[in-house]
Amino acid sequence: MKTNLKHFINGFVKENPVFVLLLGTCPTLATTTSVISALAMGLAAAAVLICSNAVISLLRKVIPDKVRIPAYIVIIAGFVTLVQMLMEAYLPSLYDMLGVYLALIVVNCIVLGRAEMFASKHGVGASILDGAGMGLGFTFSLLLMATVREVFGAGSFAGVEIPLLSDYAIPILVSPPGGFFVFGMLIAIVGKLSKKPVKAEFGCEGCPNAAVCKQSTEVAE
Amino acid sequence: MIKNLIVILMASVLVNNYVLSKFLGVCPFLGVSKKVGQATGMGIAVIFVMLVATAATWPIYTYLLSPKYEYMQTIVFILVIAALVQFVEIVLKKYIPSLHKSLGIYLPLITTNCAVLGVTLNNITDGYGFIEAMVSSLGAGLGFLLAMVLFAGVRGKMEAADIPKAFKGIPITLIAASIVSMSFYGFAGVIENMFA
């Protein structure tokens, strides 16, 4: 049980997918313009992550090694479609808000990365906890970044106006350049606080393409 | 008709740039943009895959999935793209080895690139016809190439700069990306008035 709990906490702090592992940058930048959309994106990704981790862990002895990546993609895409359909039916306004980024959970490095790195090697219980930890760590990071962007960029929190700040909002923080800027600042702050040197390179560890990627950049150089 | 196509092309290259304003394909944008040559290779490979992917997924959606099986869109598109990239790689390796040598190494990376899946999904959501969809994919790819090459230039200059310790590596790269993105922000409004 203790090790299981460790898997869960790991995703939150030590291996935080967004600020430490630097995975899933696309949704991090795109959906953090408001707190509500960040929360919805985070929870949707977490749901997919938990379900796909569980199923992949159950099937890990059945799936042949050679076709594992396509098999994982099919499983993940299935759950993404499920989440899409449920959201369209019950939360249509959020569905419209997230738009194409909801479908793009399929190619999110965090989901595929955890399938390849964790679920394919561990039991069901541990995989579910790992998925939950990573998913909630992702949600938490998105919320943190969205809070900074919405409070200072739009002068509101989850759509509720903050009296004094709304007069001095900095609209550029909610726009695309502000996304890159706030993300860079937050990584620098997290690196400074954790006293660990910030990674010099973009995170590839969790990405199933890492081996090919490394090889290709070496060849190109 | 042609006017419309030019507007779509320019809009997806400059105003709705996939990397800098829609944040699709950020990973390769930050990962493979250290050298201009590398960035160009990756950019050209992306244009190629985007065009092939759109040419395959648009007819599949229009004639097979719509209107009854629209919910299968995500699964079908990602599988088609993955299979297609593998297929293209095999064909290139066999028949045009020189091209495979320069582009082939980037192809497997592109399968799980969110920009490719994103552009095919967006073409459907925007209700484009086949030619419009192809033009918008070309624009998206060109925009990606442009952003990659510009950013590789910026990063080259940055290597000589004295950067505060906490900002070394990723943070300063992201802040530089923010400034490049801001310069693209200036294009907003250009398209609406292009033919006025």
Side-chain angles (χ1 to χ4, degrees), chain A residues 204 209-221, chain B residues 28 31-32 37-39 41-42 89 100-110:
Chain A
C204 283
N209 283 329
V212 196
C213 187
K214 221 171 202 169
Q215 196 189 349
S216 72
T217 43
E218 272 162 17
V219 171
E221 274 166 15
Chain B
V32 200
Q38 225 172 300
M42 180 78 181
E89 204 196 344
H100 178 259
K101 217 175 165 191
S102 51
L103 292 188
I105 46 170
Y106 300 109
L107 286 178
L109 293 181
I110 297 169

Side-chain angles (χ1 to χ4, degrees), chain A residues 144-166:
Chain A
L144 178 68
M145 193 162 144
T147 309
V148 174
R149 284 180 77 183
E150 201 188 328
V151 166
F152 295 106
S156 62
F157 183 81
V160 182
E161 259 189 38
I162 298 169
L164 211 76
L165 270 174
S166 57

Side-chain angles (χ1 to χ4, degrees), chain B residues 48-71:
Chain B
F48 182 66
V49 173
M50 275 181 177
L51 284 175
V52 176
T54 306
T57 52
W58 194 89
I60 287 179
Y61 182 84
T62 314
Y63 298 114
L64 290 177
L65 297 181
S66 146
K68 246 177 135 181
Y69 302 105
E70 275 161 342
Y71 62 90

Side-chain angles (χ1 to χ4, degrees), chain A residues 110-149:
Chain A
I110 301 175
V111 183
L112 203 56
R114 285 333 273 179
E116 168 82 356
M117 301 233 316
F118 199 92
S120 60
K121 291 170 197 144
H122 292 78
V124 184
S127 297
I128 290 176
L129 279 173
D130 178 74
M134 278 284 160
L136 291 178
F138 182 61
T139 311
F140 171 74
S141 317
L142 287 192
L143 263 184
L144 178 68
M145 193 162 144
T147 309
V148 174
R149 284 180 77 183

Side-chain angles (χ1 to χ4, degrees), chain B:
Chain B
M1 177 69 189
I2 289 178
K3 225 190 216 175
N4 184 24
L5 290 181
I6 293 174
V7 168
I8 291 177
L9 183 73
M10 297 308 279
S12 52
V13 174
L14 298 175
V15 182
N16 295 324
N17 189 291
Y18 265 71
V19 182
L20 296 171
S21 71
K22 288 192 183 166
F23 301 120
L24 296 174
V26 172
C27 301
F29 171 67
L30 296 170
V32 200
S33 61
K34 271 187 139 174
K35 299 215 167 67
V36 176
Q38 225 172 300
T40 319
M42 180 78 181
I44 292 170
V46 166
I47 297 180
F48 182 66
V49 173
M50 275 181 177
L51 284 175
V52 176
T54 306
T57 52
W58 194 89
I60 287 179
Y61 182 84
T62 314
Y63 298 114
L64 290 177
L65 297 181
S66 146
K68 246 177 135 181
Y69 302 105
E70 275 161 342
Y71 62 90
M72 291 291 285
Q73 194 188 19
T74 314
I75 300 185
V76 171
F77 277 25
I78 185 75
L79 285 178
V80 166
I81 292 170
L84 213 63
V85 172
Q86 291 281 321
F87 178 71
V88 166
E89 204 196 344
I90 293 167
V91 170
L92 280 185
K93 205 172 189 174
K94 180 115 172 63
Y95 296 106
I96 323 172
S98 59
L99 193 64
H100 178 259
K101 217 175 165 191
S102 51
L103 292 188
I105 46 170
Y106 300 109
L107 286 178
L109 293 181
I110 297 169
T111 319
T112 50
N113 179 339
C114 42
V116 177
L117 184 62
V119 83
T120 55
L121 290 171
N122 271 343
N123 282 335
I124 304 295
T125 326
D126 292 345
Y128 286 152
F130 185 69
I131 296 172
E132 288 167 321
M134 289 304 278
V135 169
S136 119
S137 305
L138 178 69
L142 284 175
F144 186 81
L145 176 69
L146 180 67
M148 288 276 279
V149 172
L150 282 178
F151 194 56
V154 171
R155 279 183 90 168
K157 291 265 175 207
M158 231 158 52
E159 269 175 20
D162 186 23
I163 298 156
K165 204 173 149 222
F167 280 92
K168 274 210 174 101
I170 302 296
I172 196 72
T173 312
L174 281 164
I175 286 166
S178 150
I179 294 168
V180 174
S181 160
M182 213 182 295
S183 71
F184 271 74
Y185 215 49
F187 288 116
V190 168
I191 304 299
E192 289 82 31
N193 304 317
M194 202 157 62
F195 292 109

